[in-house]
């Protein structure tokens, strides 16, 4: 302590200044003004006189004679503070102070001034009006400038002192007497031109304001704003704090190099405490005195300082002796990191080592401190000590132990030596950063994104959705005589029969377009096929004719959407490769009157040759011809269309659909759909008929949907040819699915692939980290994995490579569809930026990882990850597996006798015998024959278990929706379920028992068969672990039959019973660590891991869940869904114990304001809440049945 506490130099500052006789005394004027106010106008007096029921003559008399009202008291207090401020700080200060108080009143006690919230509005109004009137009479010049004549002598001396003490590492405190002076002085120094460029000032006062009393209009410091003051001072963000006596003691204040007592009215205790704040080397402690102060005060403080100086000198002599002895013992050892300048001193090594151990993964029942042992040698009078240190078993074995380099006189010095060596080993092993602190995985950009993410995913501005027809338009623009046009046959079929076929012309090739289903009405489905044909040479005449035929085709259905002044459509259509498009357009252009058809000629026409029938009496409303009849045949004509000419033919028609979105099925009960299929009757003479056959109208109606799907495939193809060009990604269907958001309402979206990709990403990340950093403990591994797979990290990666423009978030709406023209596309800038959630960006990355895995396994997924996360050292899975297997082979252990039984229990014969031992070694274990505890294997086994369950669930037929996949994974990989299976897994073994008879010689041996469980192989050195095992085994025996019954034949997962088992985490850890051990020893065989999970019972139960019939929801989650908008409240409390039983937990459950149930006999909060939710669901189901 003596070494780090330095005596500051004392500086006495005497302030001498003659007051300017012309300077007004604003504080005195405020006092006079207060006394001049008519007391009869005071809100309190007015209230007393206006309300006879509350009139108290005694109180009224006291108020009138003694001015004892709240407003008068506030003005009096303000006057007193103003006097002090004017005396200590000057005229400018008092003017600013009164102005600030008025400004505070004007906001009428808003949130920024909690202390005013208890004032009546009448009182606030009265004080505001009176003080505003007073402000009109005070001089304005003082506030206009910081002229010296408006500042006190002490302030001027303080400013001069601060100017001369400016230094790069300045850190200081200024003590003043009152909270008001804190506010005013901080403002004054902050805006002073000679100080504002260097000092960053904050304030700190005691939180003495009471919430139960009325506000104080003179209180300007908001204590809520000072929460970070000391942290800012410590971090260097602030370098000067104005404070009261609040910082004298009881608060951890960073050491300062300057402390100023602007207020010298302090006792000896205050002096010592304030002086102690200036404990940096070469610090200054200044006391300020005004000319008006008593001269004896200065002498008194000098005498006290002299006494303290003598005590300090005695301390320094003692320190020198101690330092000499320590120097002789320890020498001058220091380690410096050249990159950062961080230093490790011998004296600090022990505390640093304890800090490192405290950051290791917190394991229940485990050891988390370094253990020192000492060896002595030499004669008793000259005995020397050496130290060894052993770190917790979760630290890699290569750096777990260290020995001091030298022998020492004391154990203290030897301990430092061993700790110093141990800490250097940790640094060299990569377990410490270049700042000599425990390794932390940190990325400023990712942390910035994380900080914006609350419960709702944050939104980021990204590029607009890519329009692939921009590129097609550019290729049309660049077309020349030598260019080949790509031809595609587009076939529209109904009932597997070709309805119409047309040729599509483009200046570029298209990826494969899968068949497209179009839902014409509730009963009719068309299928569109797009097939590639041979290219044709570009011809200007042929292309012009194709533009005419395309315009004719689209105008049939989309007449109002066609720009008649343009023909440069981005996709051109001709009738067939063998028919001239110009002749076809001429033949099919226009209409003919219905009367030109007689019954005979109409009968001879096929339905496909007749065009759209347009009702001239209803603005040429389009209809589809269905048949004909005359009125003489008994056809009933619609009432609004009375028959006038019996000889006129009547057409039976149905409406041509108005909608253009045929991508989604129409519900059978849709009224609009029913209207479209309803048969109507039209007079032939009231109609006109298009020359273009009706099948081409069908084809034209399908084009928006067809071109939309073509565009999506073009986007996916461009993504594969640009961003993923090195991946050889040719499974376009998977890419389309991966980049399509669910809101788009396409046949597929990224959600299922995102589920799979999430699991693949976590598996590959964990495998990479575990094999790349063989000495990292599980804490660093988990932190690094969470960092890499976080939504923030993946969103950042998506934006960095430009994935955002490929993500499909705009739903296709036929009503908004317009034909694309080349000139419009070239003249129109890219789509406006849009907002996407970081979760969407991350989900698409994971979906693409899932797509790559489906396409080419783990190594294809790694190829994708190299693009998105290039800083991660990805390499092929086989290489990573080999690294882990080789590292396990380096461990030398002695096989214990029971290892064969353990392998029999697991169902796997290990080649690296160190792996099963590591998998069953708890962090509390102390002994030989050990590599490390099971945490690293558990870390790897966790993702192996996850990928096995996820892929099995994903590949199930029929496909399971995304939400169901998540529920399945939660049900199978949760710790409670795994712990139960761990408790259950056993083999039978023979045990020899010694049986004694009646006599001592009557001894015999007997063989019995006993179960041996996997958890019994856990190596530990903790009595607490053993106690936990015994207690859990007792609960298991009580619950296992019921749990097994539900697992085998129940209609719901036994969540409540599994929670009541309350198994310590090490049971589920064992399962995952064994999976990790099998994975490494089998050179990365997930099949071998799955075999163990099959033996354990995981896969069997997963198959049962996949078959259906088992409710997957956790009771609390299901209750939340049942309650809908009503809030579910759980109140957990400890029930009173009686003489026979110990206190247990109980839980009450409310839905809204209704209390449903109270459940007792709980052993943990999770268990009692789960069981209570289960009981509530039973009650609600019973109530529902009774209503029926």
């Amino acid at each position: 302590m003596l070494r780090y506490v330095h005596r500051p130099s004392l500086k006495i500052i005497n302030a001498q200044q003659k007051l300017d006789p012309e300077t007004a005394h604003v504080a005195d004027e405020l006092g006079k003004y207060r006394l001049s106010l008519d007391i009869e106008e005071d809100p309190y007096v007015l209230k007393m006189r206006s309300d006879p029921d509350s009139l108290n003559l005694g109180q009224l008399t006291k108020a009138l004679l003694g001015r004892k009202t709240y407003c008068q008291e506030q003005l009096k207090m303000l006057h007193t503070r103003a006097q002090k401020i004017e005396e200590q700080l000057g005229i400018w200060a008092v003017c600013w102070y009164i102005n600030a108080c008025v400004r505070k009143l004007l906001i009428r006690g808003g949130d920024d001034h909690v202390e005013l919230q208890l004032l009546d509005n009448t009182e606030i109004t009265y004080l505001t009006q009176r003080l505003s009137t007073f402000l009109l009479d005070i001089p304005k010049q003082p506030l206009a400038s910081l002229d010296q004549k408006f500042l006190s002598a002490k302030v001027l001396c303080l400013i001069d002192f601060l100017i001369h003490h400016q230094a790069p590492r300045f850190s200081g405190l200024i003590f003043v007497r009152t909270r008001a002076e804190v506010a005013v002085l901080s403002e004054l120094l902050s805006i002073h031109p000679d100080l504002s460029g260097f000092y960053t000032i904050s304030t700190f006062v005691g939180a003495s304001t009471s919430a139960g009393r009325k506000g104080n209009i003179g209180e300007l410091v908001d204590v809520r704003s000072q929460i970070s003051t000391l942290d800012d001072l410590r971090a260097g963000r602030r370098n000067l704090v104005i404070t009261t006596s609040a910082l004298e003691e009881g608060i951890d204040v960073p050491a300062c190099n300057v402390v100023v007592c602007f207020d010298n009215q302090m006792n000896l205790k205050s002096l010592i405490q304030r002086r102690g704040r200036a404990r940096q080397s070469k610090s200054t402690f200044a006391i300020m005195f005004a000319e008006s102060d008593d001269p004896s005060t200065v002498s008194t403080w000098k005498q006290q300082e002299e006494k303290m100086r003598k005590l300090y000198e005695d301390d320094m002599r003692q320190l020198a002796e101690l330092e000499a002895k320590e120097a002789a013992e320890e020498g001058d050892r220091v380690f410096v990191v050249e990159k950062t300048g961080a230093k490790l001193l011998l004296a600090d090594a022990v505390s640093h080592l304890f800090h490192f151990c405290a950051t290791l993964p917190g394991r229940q029942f485990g050891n988390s401190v370094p253990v020192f042992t000492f060896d002595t040698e030499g004669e008793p009078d000259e005995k020397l000590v050496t130290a060894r240190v052993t770190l917790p078993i979760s630290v890699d074995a290569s750096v777990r132990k260290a020995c001091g380099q030298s022998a020492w006189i004391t154990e203290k010095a030897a301990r430092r030596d061993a700790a110093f060596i141990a800490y250097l080993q940790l640094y060299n092993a990569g377990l410490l950063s270049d700042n000599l602190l425990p390794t932390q995985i940190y990325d400023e950009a990712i942390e910035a994104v994380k900080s914006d993410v609350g419960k709702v995913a944050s939104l980021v501005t990204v590029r607009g959705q890519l329009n692939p027809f921009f590129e097609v338009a550019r290729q049309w623009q660049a077309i020349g005589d030598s260019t080949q046009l790509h031809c595609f046959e587009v076939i529209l079929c109904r009932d597997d029969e070709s309805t119409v076929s047309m040729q599509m012309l483009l200046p570029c090739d298209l990826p494969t377009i899968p068949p497209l289903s179009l839902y014409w009405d509730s009963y009719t489905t068309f299928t569109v096929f797009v097939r590639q044909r041979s290219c044709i040479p570009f011809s200007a005449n042929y292309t012009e004719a194709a533009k005419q035929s395309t315009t004719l085709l689209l105008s049939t259905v989309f007449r109002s959407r066609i720009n008649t002044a343009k023909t440069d459509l981005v996709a051109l259509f001709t009738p067939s490769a063998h028919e001239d498009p110009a002749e076809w357009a001429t033949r099919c252009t226009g209409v003919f009157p219905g009367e030109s058809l007689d019954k005979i000629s109409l009968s001879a026409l096929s339905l496909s040759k007749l065009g759209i029938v347009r009702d001239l009496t209803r603005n040429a409303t389009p209809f589809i011809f269905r048949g004909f009849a005359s009125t003489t045949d008994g056809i009933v004509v619609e009432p609004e269309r009375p028959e006038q000419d019996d000889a006129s033919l009547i057409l039976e028609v149905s409406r041509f659909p108005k909608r253009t979105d045929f991508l989604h099925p129409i519900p059978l009960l849709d009224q609009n759909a029913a209207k479209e299929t309803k048969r109507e009757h039209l007079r032939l003479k009231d109609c006109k008929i298009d020359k273009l056959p009706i099948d081409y109208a069908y084809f034209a109606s399908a084009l928006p949907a067809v071109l939309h799907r073509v565009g999506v495939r073009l986007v996916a193809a461009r993504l594969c040819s640009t961003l993923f060009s090195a991946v050889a990604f040719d499974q376009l269907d998977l890419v389309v699915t991966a980049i399509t958001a669910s809101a788009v309402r396409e046949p597929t979206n990224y959600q299922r692939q995102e589920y799979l990709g999430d699991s693949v990403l976590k598996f590959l990340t964990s495998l990479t980290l575990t094999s790349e950093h063989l000495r990292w403990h599980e804490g660093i591994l988990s932190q690094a994995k969470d960092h890499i797979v976080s939504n923030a990290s993946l969103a950042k990666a998506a934006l960095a490579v430009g994935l955002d423009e490929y993500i499909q978030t705009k739903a296709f709406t036929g009503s908004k569809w317009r034909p694309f023209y080349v000139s419009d596309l070239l003249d129109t800038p890219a789509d406006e930026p849009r907002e996407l959630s970081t979760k969407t960006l991350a989900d698409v990355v994971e979906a693409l990882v899932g797509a790559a895995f489906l396409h080419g396994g783990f190594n294809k997924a790694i190829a994708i990850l190299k693009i998105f996360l290039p800083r991660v050292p990805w390499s092929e899975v086989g290489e990573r597996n080999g690294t882990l297997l080789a590292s396990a082979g380096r461990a030398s252990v002695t096989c214990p006798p029971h290892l064969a039984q353990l392998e029999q229990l697991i169902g796997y014969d290990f080649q690296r015998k160190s792996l099963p031992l590591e998998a069953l070694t708890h962090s509390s274990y102390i002994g030989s024959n050990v590599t490390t505890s099971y945490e690293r294997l558990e870390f790897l086994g966790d993702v192996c278990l996850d990928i096995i369950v996820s892929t099995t669930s994903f590949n199930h037929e029929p496909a399971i929706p995304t939400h169901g996949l998540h529920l399945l994974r939660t049900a199978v990989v949760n710790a409670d379920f795994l712990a139960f299976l761990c408790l259950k897994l056993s083999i039978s073994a023979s045990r020899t028992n010694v049986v004694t008879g009646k006599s001592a010689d009557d001894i015999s041996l007997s063989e019995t068969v006993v179960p041996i469980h996997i958890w019994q192989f856990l190596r530990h050195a903790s009595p607490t672990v053993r106690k936990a095992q015994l207690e859990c085994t007792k609960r298991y025996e009580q619950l296992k039959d019921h749990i097994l019954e539900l697992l085998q034949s129940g209609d719901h997962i036994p969540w409540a019973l599994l929670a009541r088992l309350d198994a310590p985490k090490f049971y589920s850890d064992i399962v995952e660590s064994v999976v990790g051990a099998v994975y490494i020893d089998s050179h990365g065989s997930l099949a071998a891991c799955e075999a163990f999970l099959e033996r354990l019972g995981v896969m069997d139960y997963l198959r049962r869940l996949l078959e259906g019939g088992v409710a997957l929801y956790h009771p609390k989650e299901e209750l939340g869904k049942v309650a809908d908008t009503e809030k579910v409240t759980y109140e957990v409390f400890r029930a009173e114990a009686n003489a026979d039983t110990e206190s247990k937990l109980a839980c009450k459950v409310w839905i809204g304001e209704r209390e449903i149930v109270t459940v007792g006999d709980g052993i943990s909060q999770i268990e009692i809440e789960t069981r209570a939710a289960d009981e509530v669901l039973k009650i609600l189901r019973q109530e529902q049945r009774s209503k029926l």
Side-chain angles (χ1 to χ4, degrees), residues 195-446:
L195 304 177
S196 59
F198 178 81
Y199 291 100
T200 52
I201 301 171
S202 58
T203 62
F204 192 95
V205 299
S208 62
T209 302
S210 171
R213 69 186 187 199
K214 281 193 173 183
N216 184 344
I217 66 172
E219 183 65 62
L220 295 181
V221 179
D222 186 359
V223 294
R224 294 173 301 173
S225 65
Q226 65 187 34
I227 294 174
S228 62
T229 291
L230 297 182
D231 287 337
D232 290 343
L233 181 65
R234 188 176 291 107
R237 293 184 292 269
R238 302 279 180 175
N239 59 12
L240 183 59
V241 176
I242 316 297
T243 183
T244 61
S245 58
L247 287 187
E248 285 181 353
E249 65 175 336
I251 298 176
D252 181 19
V253 179
C256 299
N257 50 30
V258 171
V259 172
V260 179
C261 294
F262 191 87
D263 161 40
N264 58 56
Q265 301 299 313
M266 53 185 167
N267 55 32
L268 180 59
K269 180 182 177 182
S270 295
L271 172 67
I272 295 172
Q273 290 169 340
R274 294 183 183 185
R275 181 179 178 277
R277 297 304 190 191
R279 58 184 182 272
Q280 287 191 17
S281 178
K282 298 180 181 179
S283 57
T284 300
F285 179 64
I287 305 177
M288 302 193 69
F289 295 89
E291 188 177 23
S292 58
D293 289 333
D294 184 359
S296 63
T297 305
V298 179
S299 176
T300 300
W301 292 129
K302 288 183 177 180
Q303 292 173 8
Q304 295 294 341
E305 175 64 14
E306 181 62 22
K307 292 180 180 179
M308 296 180 69
R309 182 187 65 79
K310 291 181 180 180
L311 291 174
Y312 178 78
E313 290 175 350
D314 292 340
D315 290 342
M316 294 304 294
R317 281 192 293 270
Q318 180 184 355
L319 176 62
E321 293 175 1
L322 292 174
E323 286 180 337
K325 291 180 180 179
E326 287 187 358
E329 268 274 308
E330 302 175 1
D332 186 19
R333 292 172 62 187
V334 62
F335 172 75
V336 180
V337 180
E338 294 184 3
K339 184 177 179 181
T340 61
K343 295 182 180 180
L344 173 64
L345 302 177
L346 192 63
D348 299 332
V350 174
S351 61
H352 284 332
L353 196 60
F354 269 86
H355 173 67
F356 170 81
C357 292
T359 64
L360 294 174
R363 297 295 172 182
Q364 192 179 22
F365 318 121
N367 175 39
S368 61
V369 296
V371 177
F372 291 89
T373 57
F374 302 95
D375 297 321
T376 59
E377 59 182 23
E379 298 299 326
D381 294 339
E382 298 179 358
K383 188 165 52 178
L384 297 177
V385 181
T386 57
R388 302 175 185 271
V389 62
T390 303
L391 303 184
I393 199 172
S394 57
V395 178
D396 186 74
S398 63
V399 291
R400 188 181 307 136
K401 296 182 178 182
C403 180
Q405 289 183 337
S406 306
W408 304 84
I409 298 174
T410 65
E411 288 187 356
K412 176 181 179 182
R415 181 186 289 109
R416 289 177 175 179
D417 183 18
F420 189 90
I421 299 301
Y423 212 69
L424 286 183
Q425 288 182 175
L426 294 173
Y427 174 73
N428 293 328
L431 299 177
L432 301 175
S433 69
D434 286 332
N435 292 315
L436 293 178
L437 296 172
T439 298
Q440 297 287 322
I441 309 302
Y442 183 82
D443 185 305
E444 289 186 0
I446 291 176

Side-chain angles (χ1 to χ4, degrees), residues 55-68:
L55 181 60
N56 185 308
L57 292 178
Q59 291 180 353
L60 179 60
T61 302
K62 187 177 180 180
L64 293 174
L65 297 179
R67 292 183 173 267
K68 297 294 184 180

Side-chain angles (χ1 to χ4, degrees), residues 597-607 625 628 649:
L597 291 176
D598 56 23
K599 187 172 182 178
I600 297 176
S601 63
L602 190 60
S603 300
L605 289 173
S606 66
L607 295 182
F625 173 71
F628 63 91
L649 287 177

Side-chain angles (χ1 to χ4, degrees), residues 716-837:
R718 181 172 174 181
L719 176 60
C720 291
S721 64
T722 54
L723 187 58
F724 299 152
S725 59
V727 182
F729 211 148
D730 55 9
Q731 293 290 327
L732 216 58
D733 289 341
L734 296 173
V735 178
V736 169
T737 297
I739 62 175
T740 303
S742 58
V744 178
R745 297 178 63 228
E746 291 292 303
T748 61
N749 61 66
Y750 64 62
Q751 290 181 335
R752 273 176 48 86
Q753 283 184 195
E754 178 270 328
Y755 163 85
L756 180 63
D758 171 74
S759 185
V760 172
L761 172 61
K762 289 176 179 175
F763 172 78
L764 293 175
T765 302
S766 297
L767 178 63
T768 299
L769 292 172
T770 307
S771 60
E772 183 73 14
H773 304 283
L774 296 174
R775 291 177 172 175
W776 276 10
H777 57 73
E778 185 266 343
I780 305 177
L781 292 173
S782 293
Q783 187 185 40
K785 185 193 79 169
D786 293 344
H787 178 86
I788 292 171
V789 306
S790 68
N791 282 349
S793 172
L794 298 180
K796 177 189 173 186
L799 294 174
V801 301
L803 178 66
D804 49 327
E805 67 174 334
Y806 295 95
I807 300 175
Q808 305 293 297
T809 57
K810 292 183 179 179
F812 171 73
T813 52
S815 60
K816 296 182 180 180
W817 181 85
R818 297 293 184 275
F820 287 128
Y821 293 95
V822 172
S823 55
D824 290 343
L825 289 169
L826 296 175
D827 293 341
T828 304
D831 285 355
E832 291 294 322
R834 54 185 169 153
E835 285 191 332
L836 287 181
S837 71

Side-chain angles (χ1 to χ4, degrees), residues 143-154:
L143 280 176
S145 68
L146 283 172
D147 195 298
Q148 290 191 10
K149 66 180 180 181
F150 300 123
L151 301 177
S152 71
K154 289 179 70 173

